[in-house]
Amino acid sequence: MKNKRFMMVMGVIAWMSVAWGQGLPVAEPGPLGMSPGRLQRLTDAMEQYVETEQLPGVVAMICREGKVVYHEALGTMDKAQGKAMQPDAMFRIASMSKPITSVAVMMLYEEGRFLLTEPVSKYIPEFEDPQVVTRDPNSGEVVRVPAKREVTIRHLLNHTAGLTYAAGLHRPIYQEAGIPMGLEPVDSTIAEEMKKLAGLPLIAHPGEEFHYGLSLDMLGYLVEVVSGQPFDEFLQERIFDPLGMVDTGFVVPQDKLARVAKTYRYVDGQMRESNVDLSLLTTQTYYSGGAGLVSTTADYARFAQMILNKGQLGGIRLLSPKTVELMTTNSIGDLYIPFRIIGDKFGYGFGIRTERGEYDELESLGIFGWDGAFYTRCWMDPEEDLIGIFLSQIDGYWGNNTMAKLRVLTYQAIVE
């Protein structure tokens, strides 16, 4: 019965893919080496997570050899309205925006606009003569000292620039300056905010420590400066339109707003709806390269497949294979990355699993991808020619490792 149900779902998905006119081709999982019966375990687990309110709702997609072999929508996208989750639901993908912004930067890099080793201050003068905020080892007082070197474009791409998300000693500095974190719509622009951020002290000397933060917002502004286009227009013209990503952007058209899944968070052990007014997405002006995009599983799969195809999709090439190789290779050397469940090392836009050890699970060495703060994940596996995408909407809910379990359930379904 379960297998029959699964095949019925796949048939509906195939019809919807034609109806929507988007997404990757759909195929039955068996001929592509994935067991329908074992994929049912994934569905069963997600149903349990929804029933026990570990997830409000989820859309999951698995692609192999460039084809969708699994696409399931479970739970609700609006609990108060009892609105069932839909396969074409739109999600705030938060930091899954970062790989897209990184691609935009590397496209300009391929055009010879800059070198990765060039100082950012060459294009954003406010970055000249950076300082580092630290504690005096003798007095313990917070002090500012000259940075040992300039921040380069490479430092921004691999999070070694010394920018954060208002963490540690940065918190009062960022808060006083009113620097947005990119997760919520604000009434400003990246040009305005990044000029302010560029003049603030760094948390570490450039190139010496990995600190996750606003580097990709700064790169979004760099794209504007170098290309001469607003960042949202550059992404639309150079990435979204060529790849057929019809539901991805910073601004959600009014007629699509009902497709945006509501965001939830746990308050006193209860799942509560976030108080974010999603209608603000229809008038968004701050185009956060690090966290601002809205997308769908179908759209993001096209982007991910382009990367897995070494820079091209459907005859459209955005990047050269050598550039994709550079982006998915360790760029931080021996520096420690705190998000080890995502990857041991970091390239340009992607965490990378480079070794077997304490944090790897049932997965291939060499997988790469990234997550989003509202509980979203995408990874790409060159060895298995596989993409996994899981989109839900819970703010600050990473402690239970549900996403890691869903990845295990994906790999156990590979039988050849």
Side-chain angles (χ1 to χ4, degrees):
M1 179 62 70
K2 288 183 176 180
N3 285 350
K4 181 179 180 182
R5 173 180 175 274
F6 179 85
M7 295 310 299
M8 290 175 63
V9 169
M10 290 303 299
V12 172
I13 291 169
W15 174 83
M16 288 192 294
S17 295
V18 173
W20 294 335
Q22 62 170 312
L24 296 172
V26 177
E28 295 183 8
L32 292 177
M34 301 197 75
S35 162
R38 284 178 169 264
L39 283 171
Q40 183 63 43
R41 295 177 181 176
L42 175 59
T43 304
D44 293 343
M46 290 191 295
E47 287 178 338
Q48 182 182 21
Y49 295 148
V50 168
E51 290 171 2
T52 57
E53 291 207 327
Q54 295 180 63
L55 296 175
V58 60
V59 180
M61 177 177 283
I62 300 168
C63 308
R64 200 165 196 214
E65 298 181 16
K67 298 179 176 61
V68 178
V69 296
Y70 182 91
H71 193 189
E72 187 76 87
L74 297 165
T76 60
M77 56 190 297
D78 185 334
K79 292 174 68 66
Q81 299 296 322
K83 186 176 180 180
M85 184 64 75
Q86 300 298 315
D88 68 339
M90 301 172 71
F91 295 81
R92 292 191 294 161
I93 60 172
S95 285
M96 280 171 58
S97 306
K98 289 179 170 68
I100 294 175
T101 299
S102 299
V103 165
V105 172
M106 299 306 285
M107 291 173 73
L108 292 172
Y109 172 63
E110 285 192 339
E111 294 173 2
R113 306 291 191 97
F114 49 75
L115 294 175
L116 302 185
T117 51
E118 288 185 336
V120 182
S121 60
K122 180 177 179 179
Y123 306 95
I124 304 174
E126 290 81 0
F127 245 127
E128 290 180 353
D129 302 319
Q131 294 185 316
V132 175
V133 61
T134 186
R135 289 192 182 276
D136 185 284
N138 298 316
S139 67
E141 294 181 357
V142 176
V143 297
R144 300 184 183 189
V145 300
K148 296 178 183 178
R149 58 191 65 86
E150 290 274 329
V151 175
T152 67
I153 295 171
R154 178 181 183 277
H155 293 146
L156 292 176
L157 280 164
N158 66 10
H159 297 283
T160 62
L163 301 179
T164 74
Y165 275 126
L169 296 178
H170 263 177
R171 185 175 297 279
I173 296 171
Y174 280 23
Q175 288 178 340
E176 183 178 351
I179 302 297
M181 298 299 105
L183 289 174
E184 310 300 350
V186 293
D187 186 20
S188 64
T189 67
I190 55 170
E192 294 169 339
E193 300 301 337
M194 292 304 102
K195 288 179 181 179
K196 288 193 301 183
L197 178 63
L200 299 180
L202 308 172
I203 199 68
H205 294 282
E208 294 190 359
E209 298 177 10
F210 181 100
H211 286 279
Y212 192 59
L214 289 162
S215 295
L216 273 293
D217 284 53
M218 189 67 70
L219 285 172
Y221 177 45
L222 179 72
V223 170
E224 287 197 342
V225 172
V226 173
S227 70
Q229 284 185 280
F231 184 44
D232 63 324
E233 291 183 12
F234 183 92
L235 293 187
Q236 190 68 49
E237 179 182 317
R238 299 291 301 275
I239 298 178
F240 301 151
D241 285 346
L243 293 183
M245 298 171 67
V246 298
D247 288 323
T248 302
F250 296 108
V251 177
V252 178
Q254 186 68 47
D255 62 354
K256 293 185 178 181
L257 189 61
R259 289 172 52 196
V260 179
K262 293 287 182 67
T263 306
Y264 297 84
R265 66 179 303 116
Y266 276 98
V267 179
D268 298 327
Q270 299 293 317
M271 187 182 291
R272 305 282 178 82
E273 184 178 326
S274 169
N275 59 4
V276 174
D277 182 359
L278 293 181
S279 67
L280 295 176
L281 293 173
T282 64
T283 57
Q284 170 74 290
T285 59
Y286 179 71
Y287 306 134
S288 168
L293 288 171
V294 174
S295 191
T296 63
T297 51
D299 270 15
Y300 210 86
R302 294 188 65 80
F303 171 78
Q305 191 65 50
M306 179 273 295
I307 295 293
L308 202 55
N309 289 351
K310 299 182 179 181
Q312 68 85 27
L313 181 70
I316 303 295
R317 180 165 293 282
L318 301 190
L319 295 172
S320 78
K322 293 300 293 183
T323 300
V324 174
E325 177 186 336
L326 179 63
M327 296 178 72
T328 55
T329 302
N330 175 24
S331 72
I332 63 172
D334 295 331
L335 295 184
Y336 177 78
I337 176 174
F339 311 104
R340 302 296 293 278
I341 196 168
I342 305 173
D344 308 292
K345 295 298 177 181
F346 201 84
Y348 298 146
F350 302 98
I352 311 161
R353 177 67 69 208
T354 60
E355 61 188 67
R356 295 295 185 196
E358 182 178 355
Y359 295 95
D360 67 312
E361 297 283 354
L362 188 59
E363 59 199 38
S364 302
L365 286 178
I367 66 167
F368 53 86
W370 205 240
D371 292 353
F374 299 128
Y375 221 56
T376 61
R377 167 170 289 179
C378 174
W379 80 91
M380 289 142 270
D381 183 337
E383 179 180 328
E384 296 292 346
D385 199 357
L386 180 141
I387 296 166
I389 304 174
F390 294 93
L391 303 182
S392 189
Q393 296 283 260
I394 312 179
D395 189 8
Y397 185 64
W398 291 96
N400 73 335
N401 289 327
T402 297
M403 285 292 187
K405 296 172 185 175
L406 296 180
R407 187 154 72 187
V408 170
L409 289 166
T410 298
Y411 277 95
Q412 61 83 38
I414 297 175
V415 292
E416 60 179 283

